[in-house]
Amino acid sequence: MTEVAKRVELILKDPQDSLVVLSGCGTSGRLAFFIASRFNEALKQLNRTLVYSYIIAGGDRALLSSQEAPEDDPELGMLSLQKVCEGKKRVLFIGVSCGLSAPFVAGQLDFCLQHPEVYTPVLLGFNPTHQARDEPIPGCTFTFRSVAQRLQELAQRRKAFLINPAVGPEAISGSSRMKGGDFFYFWLHTELFLPMEYERAVEMTYQHREGIAALVEAAGRSLQNEGGVCYLGWGPMAFLGLMDASECNPTFGADYADIRGFIRGGYKDLNNNEGPLSSLGPDFCIAHEDFLHQVLPSLTDRDTVLLIYTQSDDLHEVVNLGRKVREKTSNIHAVHHRTDSVEALQQVTFLSFGCFFFVLDHFLFPKLILNKLCIFDTFWQWELSTKLVLNAVSTGAHILKGKIYRNHMIDLQVTNSKLYRRAARLLQKLSGQAETECEGALLKAIYRADKLTEEITSCDITAHTQVARSAKKVVPLALVSLLTGCSLKQVESLNLNLYSLDTITGTGLA
Ligand code: F1P
């Protein structure tokens, strides 16, 4: 890690024709974007050359919505890396795949290994090398594991780097959006810019356990009652809301309207490579203006709204929007970050909001505003803290909705080869039945067919995952069908809520 930090330092000192590229899929790609943007912002303020760049599988639309299919494409990964690095003579490439699994990233790492005169590859993930994915990648001679092993060998001579601490599996398995993501965020900050103390941010956040629990309950009630949760954010913190919301779709089978994020100035504030994407549909409309037009008119007490802002944001604006929301729902809350040096500002906040807001605002950090770097330090602690709170809110709310079975997020979307295999493994683990039965049940649920035809079984995984994009509750349906012996039609007529899974399977419904 120290060695990687030194390489970054060299690039920062002599940025001519150099680049640090962060790349990943899903959550890893979103964090790559967020961190590259934040670091470039910091460099801008210090009048330094911008050296950070990001790549996310599926392009910028994947920043806001689930696009797992491109994760399977190593060539796409390689081509997008080549494009970003055109004309560069020195590139530090940081490929992130929490599970050491994404072919998109494997393709990029392989390309770096073939061009050592320009690229120094770094692989960041949270899995031991021998557990990296070893499934053949169509059209390639390498697997993720073989690439990781090559990196490991070169790492001894400092020609490549493999950073894969085991930070433990996700408490609720099935997504890299929580612990893996937190560590990725934390690691990049400490290694790529300047060493900082994040432990305190975590401690301070969880001092607000009760407040966070209240938020989880409110959001959970909304989801249970077919309402929605909206994050209305200001400044960089707003993207964390967008990111948290977009992850709920592949992780919990959620609809885009269940949890939505909005950022004050929309794409102008997001500052992504591809610019505005609102023309792609309502789920890509992300500005507060869009919230006012699309969501506010039909907002009710069933919905939860969470404002996310800091002392640096325009409080009058926060108050104005807050008042509009309050006219429609009493279920309005706020995460407010401040340092302990702004008592006056805090008073304003309380005066304006006190009567109707639950304000989770005592994030007291030491007075760090000594120089510009310390301002970033404080901001980054707030960002980590916000990520922790939002992950807790959305995960907890989905648990309350009944999306978790025996500690597994089983209503995942089966939209790429990794997720297809994960779904099949989950079915085996939870039903105790053989692999072929489980895969059969999975296919039946994807195609909504009670019998598997030749047409279905002759298709490959890519075709199955394309059909699965529009199928709902695939794994829960397959599981109940496996456990009860009921046909898919019978199971579907139950209008499944995972809360009732144990009851259904325990009473021998068949
Ligand atoms: C990438 C990713 C995850 C997401 C889901 C699908 O994983 O998009 O972020 O939660 O599991 O895969 P990884 O390559 O970082 O392990």
Side-chain angles (χ1 to χ4, degrees), residues 68-358:
E68 284 82 22
E71 298 183 12
D72 280 342
D73 193 338
E75 201 190 343
L76 188 63
M78 187 267 282
L79 291 174
S80 43
L81 177 60
Q82 250 181 325
K83 192 167 163 213
V84 168
C85 300
E86 223 173 308
K88 299 291 173 199
K89 298 208 169 76
R90 186 173 46 166
V91 175
L92 184 74
F93 171 76
I94 301 174
V96 190
S97 179
C98 289
L100 298 196
S101 62
F104 183 88
V105 175
Q108 297 175 322
L109 291 168
D110 178 68
F111 178 75
C112 293
L113 290 171
Q114 288 180 40
H115 299 92
E117 64 295 350
V118 176
Y119 295 89
T120 305
V122 182
L123 167 58
L124 176 63
F126 308 102
N127 210 357
T129 316
H130 70 271
Q131 281 184 195
R133 194 169 171 207
D134 207 22
E135 190 176 327
I137 304 174
C140 291
T141 50
F142 54 83
T143 64
F144 203 106
R145 190 183 299 171
S146 73
V147 173
Q149 282 164 342
R150 273 154 68 204
L151 282 169
Q152 202 165 29
E153 277 161 32
L154 287 173
Q156 287 161 10
R157 283 178 280 135
R158 301 281 191 257
K159 300 242 181 265
F161 298 91
L162 174 63
I163 298 168
N164 58 337
V167 286
E170 296 290 343
I172 302 167
S173 71
S175 174
S176 51
R177 75 197 207 98
M178 293 187 290
K179 243 196 276 171
D182 293 342
F183 188 79
F184 167 31
Y185 175 89
F186 163 80
W187 177 81
L188 284 171
H189 273 151
T190 49
E191 292 307 313
L192 296 195
F193 208 79
L194 73 172
M196 281 165 277
E197 180 60 80
Y198 279 90
E199 207 177 331
R200 192 163 157 69
V202 176
E203 259 172 35
M204 296 308 268
T205 306
Y206 289 119
Q207 274 179 18
H208 295 270
R209 260 183 222 95
E210 283 170 20
I212 296 170
L215 284 177
V216 168
E217 255 186 72
R221 256 195 317 273
S222 290
L223 294 190
Q224 281 167 336
N225 297 318
E226 318 258 303
V229 178
C230 281
Y231 301 140
L232 297 180
W234 278 260
M237 240 64 80
F239 177 70
L240 295 169
L242 293 170
M243 180 168 87
D244 186 83
S246 66
E247 291 161 350
C248 294
N249 175 282
T251 312
F252 303 111
D255 189 76
Y256 87 91
D258 288 351
I259 301 202
R260 282 187 80 172
F262 295 91
I263 177 168
R264 184 186 169 278
Y267 289 95
K268 194 162 54 62
D269 285 10
L270 193 65
N271 201 17
N272 55 317
N273 284 345
E274 295 170 30
L277 301 173
S278 337
S279 59
L280 294 176
D283 38 339
F284 288 89
C285 295
I286 55 167
H288 284 183
E289 275 301 308
D290 298 317
F291 167 82
L292 291 174
H293 294 129
Q294 284 183 13
V295 184
L296 189 74
S298 50
L299 208 67
T300 70
D301 271 341
R302 280 188 314 180
D303 304 302
T304 299
V305 174
L306 183 61
L307 307 178
I308 304 160
Y309 61 99
T310 74
Q311 63 186 55
S312 316
D313 299 308
D314 182 341
L315 288 179
H316 297 290
E317 235 184 70
V318 179
V319 173
N320 280 342
L321 189 56
R323 284 194 194 290
K324 286 185 186 144
V325 170
R326 181 65 184 82
E327 280 165 21
K328 295 285 196 167
T329 177
S330 53
N331 204 1
I332 177 165
H333 309 272
V335 174
H336 171 210
H337 294 287
R338 63 185 177 85
T339 64
D340 56 354
S341 57
V342 286
E343 289 308 323
L345 271 179
Q346 215 248 324
Q347 297 260 323
V348 176
T349 317
F350 264 120
L351 279 179
S352 323
F353 293 167
C355 51
F356 53 81
F357 275 43
F358 161 69

Side-chain angles (χ1 to χ4, degrees), residues 432-503:
Q433 296 207 26
E435 197 180 335
T436 37
E437 265 76 55
C438 292
E439 201 167 336
L442 180 62
L443 287 177
K444 284 182 189 165
I446 290 175
Y447 288 89
R448 293 299 203 263
D450 269 328
K451 279 213 163 56
L452 290 181
T453 59
E454 165 82 30
E455 205 186 332
I456 296 176
T457 49
S458 60
C459 289
D460 62 7
I461 291 189
T462 312
H464 298 326
T465 54
Q466 271 162 10
V467 176
R469 249 198 107 74
S470 49
K472 296 234 175 264
K473 293 189 179 172
V474 168
V475 183
L477 283 175
L479 181 60
V480 177
S481 166
L482 280 168
L483 290 172
T484 61
C486 290
S487 72
L488 261 183
K489 271 210 181 70
Q490 286 172 309
V491 176
E492 269 196 291
S493 68
L494 294 172
N495 192 14
L496 201 63
N497 178 326
L498 304 187
Y499 261 145
S500 52
L501 251 184
D502 271 324
T503 332

